[in-house]
Amino acid sequence: MIEFRGVTKQFPDGTLAVDDFTLVIPSRQFIVFVGSSGCGKTTILRMINRMVDPTSGQILIDGDDIAKTDAVKLRRSIGYVMQQSGLLPHRKVVDNVSTVPRLKGVAKAKARDDAMALLKTVGLDRALADRYPAQLSGGQQQRVGVARALAVDPNILLMDEPFGAVDPLVRAELQTEIMRLQRELDKTVVFVTHDIDEAFLLGDHVVIFQKGGKIAQQGTPAEILANPANDFVAEFIGADRGKRRLTVSDEKSADGDLVLLDGFGHPAGVMASSGAPIKASGVKSRSVSNKTDQAGDA
Amino acid sequence: MQWVWTNFDTIWGLTLAHVGLSVIPIVVGFVLSIPLGYAASRSKVARSVLLTAGGILYTIPSLALFVAIPVIIGGAILDPRNVVIALTIYAVAIMVRTAADAFASVPADVQDSATAIGFSGVQRFFAVDLPLAGPVLLAGIRVVSVSTVSLLSIGAIIGVSNLGSLFTDGFQRNFYTEIWTGLVCILLVALVFDVVLVVIARILMPWNRRSSARSVRAHARRAALS
């Protein structure tokens, strides 16, 4: 459990990035911070591993005040994935993944074996292990970044706009992958994005930020969609523009699916007549984008 | 040419002296410039102080410095250490600027993520900053190497034996073969040093080798296509 108690951050230049922020993140939840740039969401994320120290207030992990812990030790116990993967360009993929275990004193051979297993976990071919990051596609680099974050088997995974710089197809694939990993590995994930669709797709719990680290609304995606707390949220999630309000058109597909239209009358999707096909289509799109990702490397 | 073969032992001895006297300033200058350059890359004040100091040191004429050093450290005028110290000062003066640029060239997001996953300050310096500054440091030390090898020859004027002695001797005797021999030998020493530096860098920076080999291959492919 991660707990923010009245956390404030004022930067030396006087900017008040976060003002009296309080939030409890339960364990093993996928929580998404979403908001436009400069709203303080990244600052708040970076406070969890003490990359930023609050000016006042407390942050507790499982009841312990992190200000009293050793920052380096704390960071080694928390997985961190950032936008440009942040891989060490001078180390091979396998060495990047085993970096933190090696820092913690794990023997080289064991760290390497573990890293090879992790590459498999994140869906990367063993053959990539001895390449340098620059020789990988953007999607593959992000997977290595995730593998590196998982290498110390952390309870907490921090992800700072990790899929912001990859193309939409690869992004969809990585999103599916991270949801699968979270289901399998049962971590607490704190995920920062400015993309509300990504937030609703991934989050068990979504926190929408306004400027100054103020929470505009938090809840499950369904709660937020059903009852936007104010005009800011309504605009942010696109409800005010009718993007989220779908109506059924007169047209029907051959197997009886209903075509849905958004508030502008643009087709937004189809509503299946039976619930079954959703899963099948998910698998299909994954294999398609998988090919794209590999192709970028070949 | 006959002169070269009859005096081969002398020339070889001077070459070894030249190598010995120039290796020390290059190595010591490199090692000293690393912490100074790192400091300069970390703070604006340190940068302006160190780079200005380096610039001023470099403007001191070499002959004046060779003569001034024994006065300052209190040694004998003919002691080769004077020349070694002077050349080390020049090496640092040149290298500090490059080292500062080298550390500034390390991508900030890589540094940030290294810290975020749990490198301590010292670990990050040796495992991340230093190797990633490597390519620019290499460029700097190659300049220092060439400049040291050629500057050393001036030491012959104050009586420190090296390949430059072939110049002073050749001028006094108006004997051009000797001057040409000195010139060619100095060029060869500089060339060998450069090759050694590049080979060391290739061994120490395998990732750099691959990416540059790849871009060379890509260039070749593009050239072949067009």
Side-chain angles (χ1 to χ4, degrees):
Chain A
M1 188 172 74
I2 308 169
E3 214 179 332
F4 291 86
R5 288 188 187 161
V7 170
T8 297
K9 176 65 192 180
Q10 186 160 29
F11 285 109
D13 65 356
T15 320
L16 195 62
V18 179
D19 187 15
D20 194 22
F21 178 77
T22 298
L23 179 74
V24 175
I25 301 172
S27 294
R28 296 184 190 81
Q29 278 242 343
F30 200 123
I31 188 160
V32 180
F33 290 175
V34 61
S36 10
S37 33
C39 69
K41 57 190 191 299
T42 294
T43 307
I44 291 170
L45 179 89
R46 288 165 67 89
M47 284 182 187
I48 300 173
N49 65 352
R50 292 196 57 194
M51 287 299 283
V52 175
D53 279 324
T55 320
S56 64
Q58 269 186 320
I59 300 159
L60 296 89
I61 294 180
D62 296 330
D64 295 326
D65 185 349
I66 61 167
K68 296 191 179 88
T69 62
D70 174 51
V72 170
K73 224 170 177 177
L74 176 77
R75 288 175 196 142
R76 287 182 192 169
S77 70
I78 295 176
Y80 186 81
V81 186
M82 61 193 286
Q83 186 171 13
Q84 296 295 352
S85 80
L87 298 176
L88 301 176
H90 59 302
R91 292 198 175 169
K92 291 174 181 170
V93 163
V94 63
D95 298 325
N96 261 289
V97 176
S98 60
T99 300
V100 190
R102 291 287 292 138
L103 285 173
K104 292 178 89 169
V106 175
K108 195 165 187 178
K110 181 178 177 349
R112 191 183 161 91
D113 289 349
D114 293 349
M116 294 303 276
L118 269 170
L119 289 179
K120 190 165 175 273
T121 306
V122 298
L124 282 174
D125 193 66
R126 298 176 68 91
L128 300 177
D130 286 319
R131 299 213 188 160
Y132 288 96
Q135 298 169 308
L136 267 52
S137 70
Q140 289 169 333
Q141 288 183 24
Q142 266 333 325
R143 283 170 187 267
V144 178
V146 172
R148 179 176 73 171
L150 294 172
V152 285
D153 195 20
N155 292 326
I156 299 171
L157 202 55
L158 306 180
M159 308 187 84
D160 187 6
E161 301 204 26
F163 311 145
V166 293
D167 69 68
L169 264 160
V170 177
R171 180 193 289 209
E173 182 203 345
L174 290 170
Q175 287 167 340
T176 316
E177 198 75 15
I178 196 70
M179 287 193 282
R180 174 183 69 82
L181 283 172
Q182 206 259 348
R183 268 200 313 276
E184 286 175 7
L185 304 173
D186 223 16
K187 310 277 181 202
T188 306
V189 182
V190 185
F191 189 107
V192 163
T193 178
H194 57 253
D195 177 355
I196 185 68
D197 292 316
E198 185 168 64
F200 283 163
L201 174 69
L202 298 176
D204 298 323
H205 192 89
V206 174
V207 181
I208 300 179
F209 283 89
Q210 265 171 294
K211 284 254 180 265
K214 287 252 175 274
I215 297 177
Q217 187 173 7
Q218 57 166 315
T220 64
E223 284 165 5
I224 296 173
L225 270 173
N227 289 304
N230 52 38
D231 290 349
F232 173 84
V233 174
E235 187 186 350
F236 195 79
I237 67 174
D240 67 325
R241 299 189 304 276
K243 184 183 161 198
R244 301 285 174 187
R245 180 159 289 273
L246 306 181
T247 52
V248 178
S249 87
D250 302 335
E251 249 172 280
K252 271 188 186 175
S253 75
D255 34 355
D257 291 350
L258 300 169
V259 176
L260 298 178
L261 304 175
D262 65 17
F264 308 107
H266 299 145
V270 289
M271 187 153 78
S273 45
S274 70
I278 300 261
K279 197 162 190 182
S281 74
V283 171
K284 197 171 141 206
S285 77
R286 218 182 100 190
S287 69
V288 168
S289 51
N290 210 338
K291 269 179 209 146
T292 324
D293 195 16
Q294 300 294 333
D297 182 62
Chain B
M1 225 32 208
Q2 185 60 41
W3 179 86
V4 173
W5 297 124
T6 48
N7 293 283
F8 188 79
D9 285 348
T10 316
I11 297 171
W12 181 243
L14 289 173
T15 306
L16 290 183
H18 203 101
V19 169
L21 287 172
S22 46
V23 162
I24 302 169
I26 295 170
V27 172
V28 176
F30 181 75
V31 171
L32 287 180
S33 68
I34 298 287
L36 294 175
Y38 186 68
S41 76
R42 304 286 290 178
S43 109
K44 271 190 181 151
V45 181
R47 186 183 165 88
S48 61
V49 169
L50 286 166
L51 297 193
T52 311
I56 292 170
L57 283 176
Y58 198 61
T59 58
I60 304 173
S62 48
L63 201 53
L65 196 57
F66 289 162
V67 179
I69 295 277
V71 178
I72 298 166
I73 65 166
I77 294 265
L78 287 180
D79 193 333
R81 270 183 294 186
N82 303 331
V83 173
V84 170
I85 291 171
L87 290 177
T88 305
I89 292 174
Y90 285 130
V92 172
I94 305 175
M95 196 60 202
V96 161
R97 180 175 292 271
T98 319
D101 292 344
F103 286 112
S105 77
V106 179
D109 58 338
V110 174
Q111 292 177 318
D112 184 73
S113 96
T115 305
I117 64 172
F119 278 91
S120 69
V122 177
Q123 285 168 333
R124 201 191 81 182
F125 175 80
F126 285 105
V128 180
D129 295 336
L130 189 56
L132 290 181
V136 181
L137 289 175
L138 170 69
I141 199 62
R142 290 175 73 178
V143 173
V144 168
S145 159
V146 171
S147 124
T148 304
V149 168
S150 69
L151 263 180
L152 174 61
S153 55
I154 298 174
I157 297 175
I158 56 160
V160 175
S161 285
N162 63 69
L163 286 170
S165 309
L166 297 176
F167 297 161
T168 48
D169 199 52
F171 274 119
Q172 273 161 14
R173 295 163 53 193
N174 219 3
F175 181 47
Y176 291 107
T177 311
E178 193 173 2
I179 297 173
W180 275 108
T181 307
L183 196 67
V184 170
C185 286
I186 288 176
L187 280 175
L188 284 176
V189 169
L191 194 69
V192 169
F193 275 24
D194 200 54
V195 170
V196 169
L197 287 173
V198 170
V199 169
I200 293 175
R202 278 178 68 99
I203 294 167
L204 290 181
M205 298 187 283
W207 74 93
N208 203 38
R209 178 174 67 211
R210 286 207 193 183
S211 62
S212 54
R214 232 160 61 115
S215 67
V216 169
R217 272 204 303 279
H219 273 297
R221 220 174 302 135
R222 270 199 297 277
L225 286 174
S226 61

